[in-house]
Amino acid sequence: MPRRCALSGKSVQYGHNVSHANNKTKRRFMSNLQVASVLSDMLGHSVRLRLTPRGIKTIEHNGGIDAYLLGTNDGKLSPEMLSLKRRVVSAKAKKDAKKAA
C-alpha cells in the first residue's frame, strides 16, 4: 500500500538532514496519514480511507464524502476515489429511482 493520501495524492517527499558542519545526508519527509472512517449517506455505511488531516478537513468542509465526490471532476480524483464515486453515483441513482416509483 503506497504512502499516499487517497484524496489529495500527497506522498513522501525527499530532502537532506543538514548538520552544523553542513554535511548533507538523505532523509524522507513522511506525510501524516491517518486511517479515517468516513460515513457515506448514499452507501449507508462508512468507508475506510488513508487520508491526511487536510484531506479530512476538506471532506468536512464540503459536507461529507458524498458531496465532495459528486462535486469534484473525475480528472482530479485518484483511482481509489474514482471507484468510490462510481459506487456513490449508482447508489444515488437507485435511491432516486426508488423514490420516484
Side-chain angles (χ1 to χ4, degrees), residues 73-89:
N73 292 336
D74 292 351
K76 293 187 176 186
L77 295 174
S78 66
E80 182 182 0
M81 297 301 276
L82 202 55
S83 65
L84 182 60
K85 181 177 180 176
R86 286 189 202 110
R87 287 175 45 202
V88 167
V89 168

Side-chain angles (χ1 to χ4, degrees), residues 34-50:
Q34 310 289 324
V35 176
S37 293
V38 183
L39 183 64
S40 172
D41 295 330
M42 297 291 171
L43 297 176
H45 58 84
S46 61
V47 180
R48 290 182 54 160
L49 299 170
R50 290 184 74 188

Side-chain angles (χ1 to χ4, degrees), residues 4-42:
R4 181 179 299 273
C5 177
L7 190 73
S8 64
K10 187 173 182 120
S11 63
V12 177
Q13 295 180 328
Y14 297 92
H16 290 99
N17 282 329
V18 181
S19 70
H20 184 69
N22 206 25
N23 296 331
K24 295 173 183 72
T25 57
K26 292 281 188 180
R27 66 159 292 179
R28 292 170 48 167
F29 295 94
M30 307 298 277
S31 54
N32 183 16
L33 290 177
Q34 310 289 324
V35 176
S37 293
V38 183
L39 183 64
S40 172
D41 295 330
M42 297 291 171

